[in-house]
Amino acid sequence: MESPNQSATREFIFSAFPYSWGSSVTCFIPLLFIYTFIVIGNLVIITVVQLNAPLHTPMYFFISTLSFLEIWYTTATIPKMLASLLGERTISLNGCLLQMYFFHSTGISEVCLLTAMAFDRYLAICSPLHYPTIMTPRLCAQLTLGCCVCGFITPLPEIAWISTLPFCGSNRLEHIFCDFLPVLRLACTDTQAIVMIQVVDTVHAVEIITAVMLIFMSYVGIVAVILRIRSAEGRRKAFSTCVSHITVFLLFFGSVALMYLRFSATYSLFWDTAIALAFAVLSPFFNPIIYSLRNKEMKEAINKHLGQAKIFFHKTEDLK
């Protein structure tokens, strides 16, 4: 129960950010660059996929959808991080709940989409003759819609439950954005908060382990088929179509697992912050690089449009 001399907390203060101006600017500049790169890089991927007919395939449809989700996934947290580095470290309780909801809903949607992408690669390599008739545009749209519905519904009970908790006493949030465990630690009702932490841990564990197992089983089937291909060139080509997805999967799930499969384990503020930056900032930063620089078809399409843009600007200058 909330004691009479304790006032309800209506806003939180992020205490994980540096307080000196020099350190804040040192963190602000690279973070702003990373966020700008994430938004522009993913917009380029979406635009290139839409403008190039050869890229109108299920794989690139899922990649462009992932890029769209990545923009909103990072927008849920990074702009507020940037504002906090400039001194605006407070966030209202409702703002905190909204940030948690959109961060986790887009994140869970990405988890589901990466699972759908593994299923797509499994069909493409293990059933190439039936692939065009199975993975139709309609099925792609249904899988994407299912991923988003799952992503945006799953966090609702947790957010609704947290919104009913009383917050009083300390309002210093030891994290760089609002997340379930740091917020729950500030709740006044110790017993209820402990139960909720256990429930949240279990929900996250089920989500992550289910997705990992489905992706793992898909790749067991893929590897088994690839190993049966006689020519080395055929094996290389088949495996190259999966490299980008595997890399993104390892980057994203590796850091997410460290954060959300800890159960009773606790980390220092430094490691909590480092792991959070890994899956909230660094993983989205590398995704456009992985899907463009390591993808031959995407590179060719981007270079083609860059060449067209150069020709257009040269013609414009000549007209002047």
Side-chain angles (χ1 to χ4, degrees), residues 108-249:
I108 294 168
S109 298
E110 284 190 30
V111 168
C112 295
L113 192 64
L114 286 169
T115 308
M117 291 169 76
F119 174 65
D120 171 68
R121 291 298 83 209
Y122 173 81
L123 285 177
I125 293 171
C126 300
S127 302
L129 297 178
H130 298 101
Y131 177 71
T133 57
I134 297 174
M135 193 58 72
T136 60
R138 182 179 179 181
L139 181 58
C140 290
Q142 288 172 340
L143 285 171
T144 301
L145 180 62
C147 290
C148 292
V149 169
C150 177
F152 281 82
I153 288 178
T154 302
L156 277 175
E158 294 170 281
I159 298 296
W161 197 359
I162 292 173
S163 69
T164 64
L165 291 175
F167 293 93
C168 51
S170 175
N171 65 342
R172 300 179 71 81
L173 194 66
E174 294 190 343
H175 208 46
I176 52 176
F177 56 84
C178 290
D179 206 356
F180 291 124
L181 296 185
V183 171
L184 285 172
R185 291 190 188 109
L186 300 180
C188 298
T189 52
D190 293 337
T191 305
Q192 193 175 356
I194 289 169
V195 172
M196 275 206 65
I197 288 171
Q198 292 171 342
V199 170
V200 168
D201 279 343
T202 304
V203 170
H204 287 153
V206 170
E207 291 168 355
I208 295 165
I209 292 171
T210 301
V212 168
M213 289 304 297
L214 288 171
I215 293 171
F216 176 75
M217 287 188 292
S218 296
Y219 276 104
V220 167
I222 289 170
V223 170
V225 170
I226 290 175
L227 292 176
R228 287 201 296 268
I229 298 173
R230 293 183 179 180
S231 69
E233 178 62 23
R235 287 196 297 271
R236 187 199 64 78
K237 188 176 180 181
F239 186 71
S240 67
T241 64
C242 305
V243 169
S244 296
H245 180 263
I246 293 172
T247 308
V248 170
F249 162 72

Side-chain angles (χ1 to χ4, degrees), residues 8-308:
T9 299
R10 303 309 304 169
E11 67 176 22
F12 300 113
I13 300 171
F14 294 111
S15 62
F17 293 99
Y19 280 87
S20 71
W21 178 249
S23 298
S24 294
V25 171
T26 302
C27 296
F28 178 87
I29 293 172
L31 185 59
L32 178 62
F33 168 78
I34 288 171
Y35 179 60
T36 305
F37 179 84
I38 289 168
V39 173
I40 294 174
N42 283 300
L43 285 174
V44 166
I45 289 173
I46 294 168
T47 305
V48 167
V49 170
Q50 291 298 315
L51 293 178
N52 287 268
L55 300 183
H56 292 175
T57 63
M59 184 176 79
Y60 289 105
F61 173 80
F62 288 131
I63 288 174
S64 61
T65 305
L66 183 66
S67 293
F68 178 78
L69 287 172
E70 287 277 64
I71 292 171
W72 294 109
Y73 174 73
T74 51
T75 299
T77 56
I78 296 181
K80 183 57 186 173
M81 289 185 208
L82 292 168
S84 297
L85 286 168
L86 293 180
E88 186 53 53
R89 291 182 170 83
T90 60
I91 186 170
S92 68
L93 176 59
N94 288 336
C96 192
L97 292 172
L98 280 172
Q99 187 182 64
M100 278 194 292
Y101 173 69
F102 284 108
F103 177 72
H104 282 277
S105 59
T106 51
I108 294 168
S109 298
E110 284 190 30
V111 168
C112 295
L113 192 64
L114 286 169
T115 308
M117 291 169 76
F119 174 65
D120 171 68
R121 291 298 83 209
Y122 173 81
L123 285 177
I125 293 171
C126 300
S127 302
L129 297 178
H130 298 101
Y131 177 71
T133 57
I134 297 174
M135 193 58 72
T136 60
R138 182 179 179 181
L139 181 58
C140 290
Q142 288 172 340
L143 285 171
T144 301
L145 180 62
C147 290
C148 292
V149 169
C150 177
F152 281 82
I153 288 178
T154 302
L156 277 175
E158 294 170 281
I159 298 296
W161 197 359
I162 292 173
S163 69
T164 64
L165 291 175
F167 293 93
C168 51
S170 175
N171 65 342
R172 300 179 71 81
L173 194 66
E174 294 190 343
H175 208 46
I176 52 176
F177 56 84
C178 290
D179 206 356
F180 291 124
L181 296 185
V183 171
L184 285 172
R185 291 190 188 109
L186 300 180
C188 298
T189 52
D190 293 337
T191 305
Q192 193 175 356
I194 289 169
V195 172
M196 275 206 65
I197 288 171
Q198 292 171 342
V199 170
V200 168
D201 279 343
T202 304
V203 170
H204 287 153
V206 170
E207 291 168 355
I208 295 165
I209 292 171
T210 301
V212 168
M213 289 304 297
L214 288 171
I215 293 171
F216 176 75
M217 287 188 292
S218 296
Y219 276 104
V220 167
I222 289 170
V223 170
V225 170
I226 290 175
L227 292 176
R228 287 201 296 268
I229 298 173
R230 293 183 179 180
S231 69
E233 178 62 23
R235 287 196 297 271
R236 187 199 64 78
K237 188 176 180 181
F239 186 71
S240 67
T241 64
C242 305
V243 169
S244 296
H245 180 263
I246 293 172
T247 308
V248 170
F249 162 72
L250 291 174
L251 271 174
F252 184 71
F253 277 88
S255 51
V256 165
L258 282 173
M259 179 60 79
Y260 296 113
L261 293 182
R262 66 171 78 186
F263 295 104
S264 59
T266 57
Y267 303 137
S268 67
L269 179 59
F270 172 81
W271 285 112
D272 260 346
T273 304
I275 295 167
L277 284 172
F279 69 82
V281 178
L282 293 182
S283 179
F285 172 71
F286 286 116
N287 286 358
I289 299 172
I290 293 165
Y291 280 123
S292 57
L293 296 182
R294 292 193 57 83
N295 188 299
K296 185 181 177 183
E297 291 174 317
M298 188 69 76
K299 275 196 295 185
E300 288 175 353
I302 291 171
N303 289 333
K304 175 185 142 186
H305 287 289
L306 287 175
Q308 290 173 343

